[in-house]
Amino acid sequence: MKRTIVVAVIVLLAASCARTGAGDLGPVAGGETPSAGSSTPTLSPQPPTSPTGAPSAEPTGSGGTAETMTYEVWFTAGEGTLFVTHRTVPADPRIGTAAMESLLAGPTAAERRAGVGSALPSETKLLGLTIQDGLATVDLTGDVESGGGSLLMMLRLGQLTYTLTQFPTVNGVLIELDGRRVDTFSTEGLMTDRPLTRKAYRILLPPILVERPAIGERVSSPLTVVGSADVFEATVSISLLDARGDEIVRTFTTATCGTGCRGTYEKTIRYTVPETQPGILRVYEASAEDGTPVNVVEIPVVLSA
């Protein structure tokens, strides 16, 4: 399904605003310190609550073993849509900075092979990140404005906004370039004078978003598929292919909302393979006209026997 980005979307950028909460995402090492009035880091990782919910952090064990934290990183895929990935790293109170650094580092090699990209220029550097009164202020080098095209620039702002607003203490994002607040972004003139929120970029979400499992993840039966979708009659179709491309599972589930609204979905499937092997999770919408798959999302995984 192709979506046309209209001028009205740009208006939403200026209209978005949210101001609640308090905390600190953690300064960049060697960079600016938190702004006056901000507190010590309060982004305590929480278990996921939805396909676009808060980050999680679970101990990997006890007895002195290291803890880890998992957070979302939003990239791009397909014809100008957002795509969510996850990173699990050693626990660090600077989780917001870690998420931003992962975003600017770009997709992994495996994610790129699966069609994941980024609208952000590789030259962009993070100069600082603070939060106060529920607003995250991210300071980037001016490289982030290079290039042109309204959709490309919207995707950049969408990636930044979705990555930072995953945290429960962040409701909106303010942009600084080389230490200065900017009211317009790029030569396209996208308005950034007010806090950017997810609502302004919801149109950039694909019809079907798969949050779990992740690209390249080693999975086992039963396998739980989680995401969100805006599809006809809220019906999300799921199939699982083995290393030969044979379909070993075909099923469907119903999102909490559909046909003009986005809902979440979750489906647990069981499979059997004789040996551990690569596979493909395929999530799609069956066309209302003839049942053929449309809005197909394929996630390469490793199927454990």
Side-chain angles (χ1 to χ4, degrees), residues 230-300:
D230 178 358
V231 293
F232 180 68
E233 294 185 345
T235 303
V236 180
S237 298
I238 300 171
S239 63
L240 190 63
L241 311 181
D242 64 13
R244 296 183 301 178
D246 294 335
E247 188 177 64
I248 57 176
V249 174
R250 180 187 295 180
T251 186
F252 71 92
T253 189
T254 303
T256 56
C257 191
T259 311
C261 62
R262 178 166 291 271
T264 59
Y265 65 87
E266 180 173 331
K267 180 70 173 180
T268 299
I269 59 178
R270 297 182 179 276
Y271 71 88
T272 301
V273 290
E275 58 186 10
T276 298
Q277 60 190 274
I280 297 289
L281 173 70
R282 180 177 292 162
V283 185
Y284 60 95
E285 175 185 4
S287 168
E289 296 180 358
D290 56 12
T292 57
V294 295
N295 299 317
V296 179
V297 179
E298 293 190 342
I299 306 294

Side-chain angles (χ1 to χ4, degrees), residues 183-204:
D183 292 336
T184 58
F185 183 78
S186 81
T187 56
E188 299 298 326
L190 301 185
M191 300 303 297
T192 54
D193 58 330
R194 297 183 181 182
L196 308 179
T197 67
R198 289 193 173 195
K199 182 179 180 181
Y201 303 98
R202 200 171 294 163
I203 195 170
L204 297 177

Side-chain angles (χ1 to χ4, degrees), residues 31-116:
E32 298 179 1
T33 57
S35 58
S38 61
S39 64
T40 54
T42 58
L43 285 180
S44 301
Q46 301 177 6
T49 57
S50 72
T52 54
S56 64
E58 299 292 342
T60 58
S62 57
T65 56
E67 292 184 349
T68 62
M69 61 186 186
T70 299
Y71 50 79
E72 299 172 2
V73 186
W74 285 79
F75 292 119
T76 63
E79 298 179 358
T81 59
L82 297 174
F83 185 91
V84 64
T85 67
H86 296 82
R87 299 288 184 267
T88 299
V89 299
D92 186 329
R94 302 187 314 138
I95 185 172
T97 295
M100 280 299 306
E101 289 174 343
S102 294
L103 174 61
L104 296 179
T108 65
E111 289 165 350
R112 289 191 181 279
R113 287 193 296 270
V116 179

Side-chain angles (χ1 to χ4, degrees), residues 203-222:
I203 195 170
L204 297 177
L205 292 175
I208 297 176
L209 180 70
V210 178
E211 184 189 8
R212 297 200 306 269
I215 292 172
E217 182 177 343
R218 186 186 183 104
V219 301
S220 59
S221 182

